């Protein structure tokens, strides 16, 4: 049985990796994933300089998922770049910045480095005050990508927040199809949710308790975003599926919707890196039952009525 995945000229043993932000802040955490059954990892989204992030509590989980407003705590691009440059194998470096000018600065730094993996540009980054995050500002996204591909020569994909309107899928896909993007990772957490505890109080401190939702709560939205982009993007832009993966069945559904790699966030936070072996075994069981020997045999084969 062959679980291999290819994105551009990069080949992975299987589709599983962590989602940015979970268990990927320090080299120790990244080594734990690298030494697990995961086929790759992505770093915590990093910025030009280290960041403390928001006041705690800034992460909370329950049986249905998680909510977070971490505020982008990270050890800075040099920390992750130096580590990645020392590794063989193919890994993902997640980056963003607080404005487009600094996004170019961090990407130019990567461009000049000997990093040979894939960059995951997190487009959930804030924009200028009063405007929505970049990925919800289509004109800014288009201009940013046009400017990036004037100089950026390495392999880059984008991490997107969920969209909820079919017209937004059309508009975003038309933009993305214009550029040599290697992958689209859908979805980031569903923004600005609230969870309330038994004391009539929100569960996280930043932003009056408003935070990004992850886990089982978001799987239907994640699957729809994966399939919407799978239907609309050029075939050489691969889809990475993220959101609501707790079992091998969830991985199977993401791949049915068109995903190549599948990222695990909230469940990894709960179960730690042994989760990759469990979910890989569950996926193999499903493929055996259905007599599939490779992911290509069922990727994108979601049936409609
Ligand atoms: C939302 C940002 C802080 C701009 C980016 C980092 C990020 C965070 C975070 O660091 O708060 N949490 C998420 O669920 N997704 C993200 O992309």
């Amino acid at each position: 049985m062959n679980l291999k995945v290819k994105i551009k000229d990069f080949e992975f043993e299987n589709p599983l990796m962590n989602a940015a932000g979970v268990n990927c802040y320090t080299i120790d955490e990244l080594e734990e994933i690298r030494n697990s059954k995961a086929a790759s990892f992505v770093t915590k989204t990093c910025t030009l300089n280290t960041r403390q992030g928001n006041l705690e509590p800034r992460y909370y989980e329950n049986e249905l998922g998680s909510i977070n407003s971490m505020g982008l705590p990270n050890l800075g691009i040099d920390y992750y770049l130096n580590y990645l440059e020392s590794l063989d194998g193919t890994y993902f470096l997640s980056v963003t910045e607080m404005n487009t000018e600094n996004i170019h600065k961090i990407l130019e730094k990567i461009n000049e480095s000997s990093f040979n993996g894939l960059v995951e540009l997190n487009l959930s980054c804030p924009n200028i005050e009063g405007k929505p995050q970049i990925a919800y500002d289509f004109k800014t996204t288009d201009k940013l990508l046009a400017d990036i591909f004037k100089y950026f020569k390495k392999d880059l994909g984008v991490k997107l927040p969920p969209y909820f309107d079919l017209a937004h899928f059309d508009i975003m896909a038309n933009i993305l199809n214009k550029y040599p993007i290697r992958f689209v990772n859908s979805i980031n957490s569903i923004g600005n949710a609230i969870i309330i505890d038994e004391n009539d109080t929100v569960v996280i401190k930043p932003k009056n308790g408003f935070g990004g939702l992850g886990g089982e709560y978001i799987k239907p939205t994640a699957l729809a975003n994966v399939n919407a982009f799978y239907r609309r993007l050029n075939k050489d832009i691969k889809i990475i599926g993220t959101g609501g993966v707790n079992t091998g069945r969830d991985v199977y559904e993401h791949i049915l919707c068109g995903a190549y790699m599948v990222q695990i966030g909230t469940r990894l936070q709960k179960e730690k890196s042994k989760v990759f072996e469990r979910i890989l075994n569950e996926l193999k069981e499903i493929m055996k039952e259905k007599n599939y020997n490779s992911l290509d045999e069922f990727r994108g084969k979601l049936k409609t009525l």
Side-chain angles (χ1 to χ4, degrees):
M1 188 179 288
N2 155 26
L3 296 179
K4 285 186 170 34
V5 171
K6 243 183 119 174
I7 295 182
K8 192 80 178 58
D9 307 328
F10 301 101
E11 188 163 277
F12 302 94
E13 277 310 300
N14 69 59
L16 298 190
M17 61 188 287
N18 68 300
V22 180
N23 210 84
C24 56
Y25 175 85
T26 62
I27 289 175
D28 282 353
E29 289 181 323
L30 291 163
E31 281 293 292
E32 183 191 335
I33 297 178
R34 203 167 70 83
N35 296 317
S36 76
K37 289 286 186 190
S40 188
F41 66 62
V42 57
T43 64
K44 170 64 189 172
T45 302
C46 67
T47 46
L48 284 165
N49 302 305
T50 61
R51 285 173 56 89
Q52 294 295 315
N54 291 335
L55 293 176
E56 296 182 338
R58 58 193 189 183
Y59 177 86
Y60 170 89
E61 66 188 41
N62 61 24
E63 62 293 336
L64 285 175
S66 64
I67 187 170
N68 88 85
S69 180
M70 308 301 285
L72 204 48
N74 75 90
L75 294 169
I77 179 73
D78 294 334
Y79 176 87
Y80 300 103
L81 213 39
N82 294 338
Y83 166 60
L84 285 163
E85 286 175 331
S86 73
L87 297 181
D88 293 331
T90 303
Y91 300 98
F92 294 73
L93 169 60
S94 175
V95 297
T96 199
E97 256 296 344
M98 293 300 135
N99 56 61
T100 51
E101 184 192 339
N102 284 349
I103 287 178
H104 292 304
K105 279 194 189 133
I106 201 165
L107 289 177
E108 272 153 359
K109 200 172 178 87
I110 296 168
N111 214 25
E112 283 139 32
S113 78
S114 58
F115 172 64
N116 58 14
L118 297 105
V119 172
E120 182 174 282
L121 176 60
N122 183 343
L123 289 180
S124 281
C125 34
N127 205 339
I128 41 184
E129 198 54 40
K131 285 184 77 176
Q133 60 173 286
I134 291 204
Y136 288 157
D137 177 342
F138 299 118
K139 239 162 87 3
T140 302
T141 295
D142 196 354
K143 168 109 178 55
L144 173 63
L145 293 173
D147 292 344
I148 288 172
F149 287 108
K150 286 173 185 160
Y151 65 87
F152 195 73
K153 296 296 168 236
K154 293 184 188 281
D155 295 288
L156 179 138
V158 292
K159 174 76 173 284
L160 299 178
Y163 299 93
F164 302 93
D165 186 311
L166 295 187
H168 288 164
F169 291 130
D170 296 336
I171 296 163
M172 201 54 193
N174 286 336
I175 292 169
L176 296 169
N177 277 330
K178 296 192 296 186
Y179 301 105
I181 288 163
R182 301 295 180 236
F183 66 88
V184 165
N185 181 350
S186 288
I187 58 174
N188 204 324
S189 51
I190 296 182
N192 297 309
I194 280 182
I195 294 179
I196 301 173
D197 71 12
E198 62 288 343
N199 301 318
D200 303 356
T201 310
V202 296
V203 295
I204 54 173
K205 189 177 183 67
K207 293 175 54 179
N208 294 322
F210 284 63
L213 207 56
E216 196 165 336
Y217 287 120
I218 74 169
K219 190 177 81 170
T221 296
L223 293 176
N225 276 257
V226 167
N227 194 239
F229 282 115
Y230 182 73
R231 290 171 179 279
R232 290 168 173 79
L233 293 176
N234 309 331
K235 282 297 161 260
D236 48 12
I237 303 181
K238 306 303 183 204
I239 313 287
I240 296 182
T242 305
V245 176
N246 284 295
T247 65
R249 171 72 200 183
D250 299 328
V251 175
Y252 177 78
E253 289 178 8
H254 267 276
I255 297 171
L256 210 51
C257 289
Y260 279 72
M261 295 302 277
V262 176
Q263 297 189 344
I264 304 173
T266 299
R267 190 78 229 186
L268 169 61
Q269 182 65 46
K270 293 180 176 182
E271 207 169 311
K272 293 302 164 203
S273 60
K274 64 183 184 330
V275 70
F276 295 113
E277 182 163 23
R278 172 178 67 82
I279 288 184
L280 216 45
N281 289 336
E282 290 172 359
L283 176 64
K284 285 177 192 166
E285 273 312 303
I286 294 167
M287 288 173 68
K288 216 182 308 175
E289 277 156 35
K290 295 170 181 292
N291 209 6
Y292 289 137
N293 288 302
S294 75
L295 305 184
D296 298 342
E297 290 168 34
F298 64 96
R299 179 178 300 109
K301 299 285 190 296
L302 173 67
K303 297 176 192 160
T304 54
L305 291 174

